Amino acid sequence: MKKFKWSLLLALLFVVIGLAACGDDETGSSTDDTENTSDNGDDTSAEETEQEEVNLRVVTTMAGTDPAGEVFQQVLDDFQEENPNIKIENDSQSADAGTIRTKVNTDFSSDNEPDLMFYFNTVDADGLIEEGKVVNLEEAEGVDLSGYNSMLEQQRREDGNIYAAPQSGFYEGLFINKKLFEEHGVELPTTWEQYEAAIEKFAETDIVPIAASTEDSYYVVEHYILAAGGMENYSAALADKNEAWAEGLNNIKKHADMGAFTPDAATIDLALAQELFKQEQAAMIFEGSWFWGQLEEAGMGEDVTVLPMPVYAEGGETGELVGGASQGWFISTKAYEDEAKKDAVVSLFNYLTSEETIIKIAEATGQPPAKGELSDLADYLKAGHDLVKNAPAVALPINDRIYPESFTHMRTSVPEIVSGDKQGEEVLEKAVEMAK
C-alpha cells in the first residue's frame, strides 16, 4: 500500500515538473513572439510612412491648344504609376490672353500657390522671387540641374541665382503658307518691300494676307516694332519712349488700311486667327515655334515655312529674332519647406526636367530642347531651328521685359490705332506712365 502511495506521489511530481517546464517554454515562446511581433510592427510602420500619400498641384501653360498638353499629362500619369503614393493635380491653364498670369498671381496672393509650376521667368516672376515665394534651385537639396545646355544660364537673375529650370527654347517669326504663295504667284517676303507687296496682292483675292487678332496682338506688336527699329531699338527700355516703337504701332494701321487683316480682327481672338491660317484662308501669321504642333496636327507642316520679320530700320538686319527661353520650372518655397512634401516635390521636379521628359515634350512642340537634341527633324522644323542658330541677334518678347500692364495697354490699344482713334505715340506715352 505504501509502495503504491509513493509511486503515485512520484508520478504526480513528474507531472508538475513537466507542466512547469512547458510553462517556461510557452513563456519563452511568447516572449520571442512578442519581440517578433514588435519587429514586424516596426517594419509595417516604416512601410506605411514611406507610402504615405502625398498630394501635389502643378500649374503650367501646357493646356488648351498647346500640343504639349496631352504629352505632359501622360508624363504625369507615368510618374504617378511609378510613385503610387504621389497624387498630382494638373491645374494647367492656357497662356493665351494672360490667363496663366492671372491664375498664378491669384494663387500666390491667396496662399494657395502650386507646388510646382512651369511659368514665365521674366518680369512676371519678379514679385514672387523678391518675396521669397520660390526656391533658389542651385541651393535646393536633391535638385538635379545637370545636363542642361546654355538655356539654363539664361535663367540666371540679376541677384546671381537660378529660380527656374528651362524646358525648351522658342522663336517667333512670320509663318508662311508656301502653297498659297505659289498658287498666287507671290514672292516670299524676305524684305520689307516684298512683305508689303504680298499684303497688297493677297488683299485683292479671297485669301486674307495676315491672320491676326488686333487685340490679342502680342506677336504682331513685337514684330512691327522689330521691323521699324531693328534689334537695338527693339531691345530698348520702355522708359526710353523709343520712336521706333510708336512707328511700329502706326505701321499696323497702315497695313490694316491696305487690307492686311480681316474686318473683324478687333473682335476675334488668337485661337480664331490660328484656325483661319490652318484652314488655309490666310497666307501669313505671326506665331511662335510652339505653333508647329498645331500645324502638324492639321497636316500642314510641309506646306509652311517660317521667315524672320523683314527689318527695314537703318542699322537693323533681317534675321534678327524674337525668342529665347522665357519659361521654366519653379518650386514653391512653401512646398519645399513642407517636410511631408519636400521629397515628392524634388522627385517630381527632377522627373519633369530629365532629358527624357524634355525631349518627349519638345518632340510634340518642335521647339529646341534645353537638354539633348531632337533627331530626325522634318525639314520645316530644322529650318526653324536654323533660324535661331544663324540669327545675328535674339531678344525676348517685349511683354516679357516690361511692366505687364504697360504691354497690355499697348496691345489692347491696337484696335483704336487701326480705327484712327489713337496714335502710336500717345499709346506709348501712356504705357510709360503706367510703368512709373
Side-chain angles (χ1 to χ4, degrees):
M1 185 74 179
K2 287 181 179 178
K3 184 177 181 180
F4 172 77
K5 287 180 178 180
W6 278 108
S7 298
L8 181 60
L9 286 171
L10 286 171
L12 289 170
L13 180 61
F14 285 129
V15 168
V16 170
I17 291 171
L19 289 172
C22 289
D24 287 343
D25 288 345
E26 288 173 1
T27 302
S29 175
S30 176
T31 301
D32 291 341
D33 288 346
T34 301
E35 289 174 356
N36 290 337
T37 302
S38 177
D39 290 342
N40 289 339
D42 289 341
D43 290 341
T44 302
S45 176
E47 185 176 344
E48 287 175 353
T49 299
E50 291 174 2
Q51 296 301 317
E52 184 175 349
E53 185 171 301
V54 179
N55 294 302
L56 301 179
R57 185 164 68 92
V58 177
V59 170
T60 81
T61 55
M62 288 177 276
T65 58
D66 191 322
E70 288 186 16
V71 177
F72 177 63
Q73 183 58 58
Q74 185 59 55
V75 166
L76 295 182
D77 291 344
D78 292 344
F79 178 83
Q80 290 176 97
E81 186 175 342
E82 295 175 19
N83 302 272
N85 64 309
I86 301 176
K87 307 302 179 186
I88 303 170
E89 177 187 354
N90 182 5
D91 197 13
S92 297
Q93 305 284 319
S94 170
D96 294 345
T99 304
I100 187 66
R101 292 179 173 92
T102 300
K103 175 167 184 57
V104 168
N105 289 334
T106 300
D107 282 357
F108 274 89
S109 62
S110 60
D111 197 31
N112 184 41
E113 53 259 52
D115 302 301
L116 277 172
M117 65 174 181
F118 184 66
Y119 189 56
F120 304 106
N121 187 25
T122 59
V123 292
D124 296 288
D126 286 352
L128 302 179
I129 291 171
E130 291 168 4
E131 295 171 16
K133 298 286 189 179
V134 290
V135 172
N136 176 2
L137 297 177
E138 290 183 301
E139 295 182 355
E141 182 181 358
V143 166
D144 183 7
L145 295 178
S146 64
Y148 272 105
N149 58 29
S150 61
M151 291 184 199
L152 178 65
E153 191 58 33
Q154 292 172 12
Q155 307 307 307
R156 195 172 297 282
R157 308 285 294 202
E158 290 182 2
D159 64 3
N161 298 327
I162 293 178
Y163 299 92
Q167 179 168 281
S168 59
F170 72 95
Y171 57 86
E172 296 177 11
L174 185 60
F175 284 69
I176 304 288
N177 185 319
K178 294 184 297 182
K179 186 170 69 172
L180 291 179
F181 271 75
E182 292 171 3
E183 289 176 353
H184 291 82
V186 181
E187 285 186 283
L188 294 181
T190 58
T191 68
W192 183 255
E193 291 74 22
Q194 289 173 334
Y195 176 64
E196 291 195 319
I199 291 173
E200 290 178 336
K201 290 180 179 179
F202 279 112
E204 295 171 354
T205 71
D206 59 353
I207 300 297
V208 177
I210 304 168
S213 163
T214 53
E215 182 165 334
D216 279 351
S217 54
Y218 297 89
Y219 317 130
V220 176
V221 168
E222 291 163 0
H223 286 88
Y224 270 74
I225 290 176
L226 177 61
M231 188 55 72
E232 181 179 355
N233 292 308
Y234 173 84
S235 301
L238 174 63
D240 294 343
K241 299 180 185 177
N242 196 290
E243 292 180 0
W245 288 36
E247 183 177 335
L249 292 172
N250 289 330
N251 278 340
I252 298 174
K253 171 178 171 49
K254 172 187 175 184
H255 289 167
D257 291 343
M258 292 166 57
F261 315 116
T262 60
D264 61 351
T267 57
I268 67 172
D269 60 14
L270 183 59
L272 285 175
Q274 292 169 338
E275 287 302 314
L276 197 65
F277 184 82
K278 289 187 292 183
Q279 292 171 12
E280 299 191 280
Q281 296 177 24
M284 298 177 279
I285 187 171
F286 290 101
E287 263 293 351
S289 48
W290 49 85
F291 191 47
W292 285 116
Q294 290 191 51
L295 295 177
E296 287 178 327
E297 288 179 4
M300 292 181 64
E302 297 292 344
D303 294 327
V304 176
T305 191
V306 60
L307 299 175
M309 180 63 173
V311 174
Y312 69 85
E314 184 176 349
E317 183 178 349
T318 295
E320 296 170 335
L321 290 179
V322 178
S326 61
Q327 284 182 274
W329 283 103
F330 293 81
I331 299 176
S332 79
T333 301
K334 183 178 179 181
Y336 183 76
E337 293 181 349
D338 184 342
E339 289 301 323
K341 286 185 174 183
K342 180 179 177 180
D343 290 344
V345 166
V346 171
S347 178
L348 178 57
F349 174 90
N350 289 338
Y351 189 86
L352 294 174
T353 58
S354 67
E355 181 173 327
E356 181 181 358
T357 297
I358 285 175
I359 291 295
K360 280 181 182 177
I361 294 176
E363 286 174 344
T365 63
Q367 298 185 58
K371 288 184 180 181
E373 293 182 1
L374 295 179
S375 58
D376 301 323
L377 280 175
D379 289 343
Y380 53 88
L381 291 178
K382 186 177 184 305
H385 288 212
D386 288 345
L387 278 184
V388 179
K389 181 180 178 181
N390 300 324
V394 180
L396 287 174
I398 291 174
N399 68 296
D400 287 343
R401 297 187 283 111
I402 70 172
Y403 183 58
E405 282 72 12
S406 294
F407 187 79
T408 296
H409 170 71
M410 289 172 61
R411 70 169 178 80
T412 56
S413 294
V414 171
E416 293 175 278
I417 294 174
V418 168
S419 67
D421 293 332
K422 287 184 178 180
Q423 295 291 317
E425 292 77 7
E426 64 180 291
V427 170
L428 181 60
E429 183 75 30
K430 178 65 174 178
V432 171
E433 290 178 9
M434 294 174 72
K436 291 181 179 178

